[in-house]
Amino acid sequence: MAPITDSKIMVYITLSDYVFNTMFYQAHKHNMLVFNLTSKNIKDKKDILNTTCSGLCIGKFIPQIGKAFPNSTVELHMLSTKPPVTNITVGALGVRAEGNITLFARKSDKSLHYLFTIYAKASIKVNLSMANEMIHGKLYDTKIQTKVTDSAIGTINDRALQFLVDSAIITTIEPMVNGLGTKGFLCHRQRIYNSNSLILNYCRTRS
C-alpha cells in the first residue's frame, strides 16, 4: 500500500487491488455482473445484430442464424462465471474476466429463441490520466478469446465467431468504454502513486 506523505487534505481514500477484487467478488456472488447487448446498446452499425441484411451482419457471419430466424435481431446475454481480477499499476488498470455469452434470436413477434452459448475469457487494460482535476481512461489492449460450448443451430465456425467478437470490440465495446473515459471522473487532488494502489479524495462522475 502506498504511503500518504502529506496532510494538506482532510480525508484520503486508498484503493488497492484488494478493494476492487473484493467488490467484483461480491458482485459476482450476487449475480450482479450481468449485461445484455442488443441493437439498442449500439450507437453505430445497429444492423450488425440483424439476421437478414444487404451488407454485413451476424446473419452473414453465421449463416445458420439467418436461415433459421430471418428478419430477426440477435441479443447477447452475458454472465460472469468467475469473479473478475484487477491489477493496478502506474497509470493503468488491468482486468481479467471470464463468463458465458448466450445468444438469442428476437423475432418480430418479440419471442426469444435460443441459439448457442459461448465461453469467453477477456483481458482488458485501461490507461489512466489526469487533466484539470479530471481522471480519464482509455482502453489500449482488449483481448477476448471465445469457444462455443453449446449450440441449438449446429456447428459454429470458430473463425467467423472470433471475427465477429473482434469486430464487436472495435465497433461497440471500445467506443462505449472510451466514451465514459473521455467524459471522465472529477477528482480533487487525486494522485496515482508508483505502487499497486490509488490514493485519492473526493472523486465523482462528471455530470
Side-chain angles (χ1 to χ4, degrees):
M1 195 71 68
I4 297 175
T5 57
D6 65 50
S7 57
K8 296 178 182 179
I9 302 172
M10 184 178 296
V11 178
Y12 286 85
I13 303 174
T14 301
L15 301 178
S16 68
D17 295 346
Y18 176 80
V19 174
F20 288 105
N21 289 334
T22 299
M23 290 170 58
F24 278 131
Y25 173 80
Q26 291 297 328
H28 169 75
K29 183 179 179 181
H30 292 90
N31 296 318
M32 297 174 64
L33 299 181
V34 178
F35 179 73
N36 294 341
L37 178 64
T38 70
S39 58
K40 295 179 180 179
N41 304 120
I42 304 175
K43 292 183 179 180
D44 300 317
K45 299 183 178 181
K46 292 180 179 292
D47 57 350
I48 192 66
L49 293 180
N50 288 348
T51 61
T52 302
C53 64
S54 58
L56 293 177
C57 63
I58 193 169
K60 290 286 184 67
F61 288 117
I62 306 175
Q64 301 98 304
I65 298 178
K67 291 179 181 179
F69 301 98
N71 301 310
S72 303
T73 59
V74 172
E75 298 182 6
L76 288 76
H77 295 192
M78 309 177 197
L79 174 67
S80 63
T81 55
K82 290 184 179 180
V85 177
T86 62
N87 179 40
I88 299 172
T89 56
V90 181
L93 173 67
V95 181
R96 298 192 309 275
E98 298 180 33
N100 287 327
I101 304 175
T102 305
L103 282 78
F104 296 90
R106 177 79 69 177
K107 298 179 69 174
S108 57
D109 62 3
K110 305 302 181 181
S111 61
L112 203 60
H113 302 267
Y114 172 71
L115 297 173
F116 58 92
T117 300
I118 305 168
Y119 165 75
K121 190 173 184 179
S123 173
I124 302 169
K125 294 181 180 179
V126 183
N127 269 330
L128 302 176
S129 61
M130 281 289 296
N132 300 321
E133 294 191 335
M134 295 294 298
I135 183 170
H136 301 276
K138 183 177 182 180
L139 291 177
Y140 70 94
D141 187 12
T142 304
K143 298 176 182 177
I144 301 179
Q145 297 176 326
T146 61
K147 180 180 179 181
V148 176
T149 58
D150 182 67
S151 175
I153 57 172
T155 303
I156 306 299
N157 186 295
D158 289 332
R159 293 182 64 182
L161 179 61
Q162 189 63 53
F163 180 79
L164 183 64
V165 170
D166 292 341
S167 299
I169 292 174
I170 296 172
T171 63
T172 305
I173 299 174
E174 287 188 348
M176 186 184 302
V177 175
N178 288 340
L180 294 173
T182 300
K183 187 177 181 181
F185 295 83
L186 179 60
C187 297
H188 297 294
R189 295 292 302 279
Q190 190 271 347
R191 302 178 181 184
I192 302 177
Y193 283 80
N194 187 10
S195 71
N196 291 343
S197 65
L198 300 177
I199 294 184
L200 56 91
N201 72 301
Y202 186 59
C203 181
R204 65 181 175 83
T205 305
R206 185 180 184 182
S207 58

